[in-house]
Amino acid sequence: MSMLPVLAQVTLLMLNRVGSSILFPLHGNVYPIGFYSVTLNIGQPSKPYFLDPDTGSDLTWLQCDAPCVQCTETPHPLYRPSKNLVPCKDPLCKSLHLHGCQCETPEQCEYEVQYADGGSSFGVLVKDAFSFNFINGEQLKPHLALGCGYDQSPGPFPHPFDGVLGLGKGKSSIVSQLSKQGLVQNVIGHCLSLQGGGYLFFGDDLYDSSRVLWTSMSRDHPEHYSPRFAELIFGGKTTGIKNLLTVFDSGSSYTYLNSPAYQALISLVKKELTGKPLREALDDKTLPLCWKGQRPFKSLQDVRKYFKPLALSFTNGGKGKTQFELPPEAYLIISRNGNVCLGILDGTEAGQDVNIIGDISMQDKVVIYNNEKQLIGWMPANCNRLPKSKTTSF
């Protein structure tokens, strides 16, 4: 009996998978909830977990009953780890330990993840089944490595998550692992709706590449999704605020500029508001800078006319400039008090060493991280409507 037809079928299946994508609905908003979450089904039997989708870190981990030394509040019971430990010599373990593998026992791989807000997770790597519904109709349960986090230190604003979905560029990210198994292209995209919710996808066939504004990823900062240096544009005019090393980070609700750029922006905004019916709301502590009107504002539509659009202009590797546009709704919120607040914060004060494009500024855009081609792209989109595959007819 010839093996060729079987091998041919397997090859076709693999090609079909690489041409397919996985689509996830997102829940949450920038304000007042303060974060977005995605549901992943993990384990045998499969159980749902709410994860924070974070393009600023690689490792996916769950709060874990191993037993747990310190865990924060979770929406679901703690993850019970599989017995399938990742050994210290595994390349995935080595990718988490830049200065050589430091394992107390060779049978297991310990990890520690530190986040910019001061939060952290410590635990061991395990492998378990992840249940995915591909948009071509396939249902697969690949075994992937994740962290069993049994010692968490929360940041200053802890959210009720089961864990973090690491979407960074490293080998340990779920998309990198899926790509290595030949199941999807190493491409991530998200669309965060201004109304709340949105979607996240893995794979390369849920957008029209010709409509996307692309810029190259920096090779000098391989640990981040960085399009290198930006210049701040205010109301369509250059500001002289340049050389802003910028990172896209879906794990950050707000956008951060370094202190000099932040202070310069505030001066420009305040100058623009001179003579407008807005005054500083010093009693509103929602964000560091808020303004009140003659009566409470109900929506951003009430105030957008008072604020200029911003943009970050990236030099695209000698191929001209690409602009990431920020209309007023991409940097303002309306607080519970009916005031308008600036959703761009002082990054130096917050301990950030780079300028961060956070969720607020990525709303109502599809943002794509193409690790195959080392490109970051974006285009305006209706994030309330799930996309259809280019290659699959429904």
Side-chain angles (χ1 to χ4, degrees):
M1 179 178 158
S2 168
M3 288 294 290
L4 192 60
V6 177
L7 286 172
Q9 283 171 20
V10 170
T11 307
L12 279 170
L13 185 63
M14 294 300 277
L15 285 169
N16 193 23
R17 283 179 187 167
V18 169
S20 189
S21 297
I22 311 169
L23 182 64
F24 309 89
L26 292 173
H27 302 281
N29 58 35
V30 170
Y31 182 85
I33 294 173
F35 59 88
Y36 289 86
S37 67
V38 61
T39 304
L40 257 66
N41 294 292
I42 303 167
Q44 301 173 84
S46 178
K47 292 178 181 170
Y49 297 97
F50 295 166
L51 302 180
D52 178 6
D54 181 19
T55 57
S57 64
D58 296 337
L59 184 68
T60 293
W61 57 268
L62 290 173
Q63 300 207 65
C64 179
D65 185 7
C68 193
V69 177
Q70 183 177 327
C71 283
T72 58
E73 180 193 349
T74 58
H76 295 101
L78 293 176
Y79 168 66
R80 299 296 299 271
S82 73
K83 301 284 190 286
N84 192 355
L85 289 168
V86 174
C88 190
K89 66 178 188 292
D90 191 290
L92 282 178
C93 187
K94 289 179 179 169
S95 75
L96 294 171
H97 297 272
L98 299 176
H99 308 296
C101 234
Q102 298 154 338
C103 304
E104 287 185 12
T105 55
E107 300 83 48
Q108 67 181 41
C109 172
E110 284 141 10
Y111 77 85
E112 184 171 12
V113 188
Q114 300 268 1
Y115 297 99
D117 69 354
S120 66
S121 173
F122 180 83
V124 294
L125 279 197
V126 297
K127 282 199 173 176
D128 212 338
F130 283 64
S131 299
F132 292 122
N133 294 320
F134 286 70
I135 58 169
N136 64 4
E138 274 195 279
Q139 291 183 310
L140 294 174
K141 293 191 175 183
H143 278 70
L144 306 170
L146 73 153
C148 156
Y150 54 79
D151 191 355
Q152 275 66 249
S153 292
F157 308 107
H159 304 314
F161 284 125
D162 294 308
V164 169
L165 173 58
L167 298 172
K169 297 161 74 174
K171 286 181 184 172
S172 62
S173 91
I174 291 299
V175 186
S176 295
Q177 293 184 61
L178 287 168
S179 169
K180 193 166 184 215
Q181 292 188 25
L183 301 180
V184 294
Q185 296 271 358
N186 194 345
V187 177
I188 297 154
H190 55 68
C191 200
L192 309 174
S193 173
L194 201 56
Q195 281 80 48
Y199 59 85
L200 167 76
F201 61 85
F202 304 160
D204 198 28
D205 63 345
L206 286 171
Y207 59 91
D208 179 355
S209 187
S210 66
R211 292 180 52 226
V212 178
L213 280 172
W214 293 104
T215 191
S216 52
M217 288 183 195
S218 168
R219 296 184 191 279
D220 301 329
H221 303 277
E223 70 278 18
H224 296 303
Y225 288 120
S226 171
R228 294 189 187 86
F229 297 95
E231 178 180 8
L232 184 67
I233 310 292
F234 183 84
K237 297 184 177 139
T238 58
T239 60
I241 304 166
K242 296 182 178 177
N243 298 321
L244 299 170
L245 179 60
T246 306
V247 165
F248 284 79
D249 183 1
S250 68
S252 174
S253 298
Y254 294 104
T255 289
Y256 292 84
L257 295 177
N258 65 41
S259 268
Y262 174 74
Q263 296 299 340
L265 173 65
I266 283 179
S267 298
L268 289 166
V269 170
K270 286 183 174 176
K271 187 177 172 190
E272 190 59 36
L273 292 177
T274 307
K276 308 273 170 63
L278 294 175
R279 66 183 192 280
E280 223 171 300
L282 298 171
D283 56 337
D284 192 335
K285 304 299 182 193
T286 305
L287 287 172
L289 190 52
C290 299
W291 296 269
K292 62 176 66 177
Q294 288 154 332
R295 63 182 67 84
F297 299 117
K298 291 188 172 63
S299 77
L300 287 168
Q301 291 307 316
D302 298 344
V303 295
R304 72 188 311 278
K305 59 178 179 271
Y306 303 129
F307 292 86
K308 287 269 171 77
L310 309 177
L312 290 166
S313 177
F314 298 101
T315 305
N316 197 0
K319 301 175 188 167
K321 296 192 173 178
T322 310
Q323 283 202 1
F324 186 86
E325 294 183 0
L326 302 168
E329 50 271 31
Y331 67 88
L332 299 170
I333 63 158
I334 302 297
S335 76
R336 282 198 172 102
N337 306 314
N339 301 321
V340 58
C341 300
L342 182 68
I344 298 176
L345 309 180
D346 185 334
T348 309
E349 204 173 85
Q352 311 285 3
D353 57 354
V354 292
N355 302 279
I356 290 173
I357 297 175
D359 293 343
I360 189 170
S361 301
M362 296 191 275
Q363 293 175 111
D364 286 359
K365 292 179 176 73
V366 176
V367 179
I368 301 150
Y369 312 89
N370 189 325
N371 290 305
E372 304 279 348
K373 297 179 178 174
Q374 292 293 297
L375 295 171
I376 302 172
W378 54 85
M379 64 177 178
N382 176 0
C383 300
N384 299 312
R385 198 169 61 221
L386 292 176
K388 296 281 193 284
S389 166
K390 296 185 312 223
T391 56
T392 309
S393 55
F394 285 81

